[in-house]
């Protein structure tokens, strides 16, 4: 754990551990609830995503990222691009819909219908937050400050994580009542976001980053554009396979309705709003 471990590091580890434990608890007993067994690949993806977050916030990338721009950018790529893809592919919303009791299930549905949630999940808005935040960071003095202030470094990385989750969910497509944007829009957002990040990396290389030694900037800019391209490829692969996931989602939805009407105990459980888009990893 790095220098600013203390309370922040402990809280981070506890939060990530709880997220992993709750997810695994939700996957257990799916057959007992009348569902098909939860896919192991989704569980592996979720746990890997949590480990990626831990590596950046309380692990070696977090420690080095607080002192070196190249490692800082690598942390950005891992927590803002790699971790969001892994976490979204873990299908936590689908797991929650299959596991939660009626009252929290209804609250989840209301959250999905909330105008703010819909706005943040819109791909264009999510891209502006994710890419705009990166641009402001590396063209201003905040990047240099965050390589010297461990607490600020953690705040910046958490911001990348949240923005990356929004962008990934917006491009891949989300459920819980949030309408999935047209494929052409989502693909366009992914392509344009990648282009902007590559331009940003080129500007970093040519103009430098305020307060950062020049010898650190070249490798940092290379890490940014490589990470952006790989992130776009990963999103493209997931979007390309969404038809098959939609078909599986429809089968799961029918099976869930059958389970809910199979007996008296299930009859009391309200059916959640049928999502207009499948969970990304279905």
């Amino acid at each position: 754990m790095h220098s600013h471990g203390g309370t922040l590091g402990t809280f981070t580890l506890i939060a990530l551990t709880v997220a992993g434990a709750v997810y695994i608890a939700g996957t257990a007993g799916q057959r007992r609830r009348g569902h098909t067994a939860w896919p192991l690949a989704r569980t592996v993806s979720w746990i890997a995503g949590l480990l990626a977050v831990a590596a950046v916030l309380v692990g070696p990338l977090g420690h080095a990222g607080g002192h070196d721009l190249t490692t800082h950018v690598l942390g950005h790529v891992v927590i803002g691009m790699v971790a969001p893809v892994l976490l979204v592919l873990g299908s936590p919303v689908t797991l929650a819909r299959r596991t939660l009791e009626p009252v929290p299930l209804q609250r989840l549905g209301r959250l999905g219908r909330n105008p703010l949630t819909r706005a943040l999940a819109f791909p264009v808005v999510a891209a502006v937050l994710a890419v705009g935040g990166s641009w402001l960071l590396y063209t201003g003095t905040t990047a240099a400050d965050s390589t010297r202030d461990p607490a600020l470094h953690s705040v910046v990385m958490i911001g990348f994580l949240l923005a990356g989750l929004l962008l990934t969910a917006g491009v891949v497509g989300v459920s819980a009542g949030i309408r999935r944007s047209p494929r052409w829009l989502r693909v366009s957002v992914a392509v344009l976001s990648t282009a902007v990040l590559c331009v940003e990396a080129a500007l970093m290389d040519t103009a430098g980053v305020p307060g950062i030694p020049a010898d650190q900037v070249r490798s940092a800019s290379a890490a940014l554009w490589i990470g952006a391209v790989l992130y776009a490829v990963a999103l493209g692969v997931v979007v390309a396979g969404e038809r098959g996931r939609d078909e599986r989602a429809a089968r799961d939805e029918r099976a869930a309705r059958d389970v809910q009407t199979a007996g008296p105990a299930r009859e009391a459980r309200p059916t959640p709003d049928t999502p207009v888009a499948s969970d990304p990893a279905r």
Side-chain angles (χ1 to χ4, degrees), residues 81-202:
M81 302 178 193
V82 176
V85 171
L86 292 170
L87 293 173
V88 168
L89 290 180
S91 304
V93 174
T94 297
L95 180 61
R97 294 181 65 246
R98 288 172 55 162
T99 306
L100 291 176
E101 294 301 321
V103 172
L105 193 61
Q106 292 169 353
R107 290 174 179 170
L108 178 63
R110 286 196 294 270
L111 177 63
R113 295 190 297 271
N114 186 284
L116 179 60
T117 303
R118 291 175 180 269
L120 292 176
F122 186 60
V124 176
V125 175
V128 169
L129 292 174
V131 178
S134 174
W135 187 284
L136 292 175
L137 176 72
Y138 296 121
T139 58
T141 60
T142 307
D145 293 339
S146 64
T147 60
R148 302 186 186 101
D149 185 341
L152 177 60
H153 174 76
S154 290
V155 171
V156 168
M157 290 301 156
I158 292 173
F160 280 140
L161 172 62
L162 297 177
L165 286 171
L166 287 173
L167 179 56
T168 302
V171 171
V172 170
V174 292
S175 60
I178 302 174
R179 183 174 300 278
R180 187 166 63 193
S181 300
R183 179 182 290 192
W184 67 266
L185 176 62
R186 291 180 284 125
V187 171
S188 298
V189 166
V191 171
L192 289 175
S193 297
T194 304
V196 172
L197 288 173
C198 288
V199 170
E200 177 187 340

Side-chain angles (χ1 to χ4, degrees), residues 204-233:
M204 288 171 59
D205 191 23
T206 57
V209 177
I212 299 294
D215 60 337
Q216 294 184 23
V217 175
R218 174 155 297 182
S219 57
S221 64
L224 180 60
W225 76 258
I226 291 173
V229 170
L230 293 178
Y231 177 61
V233 170

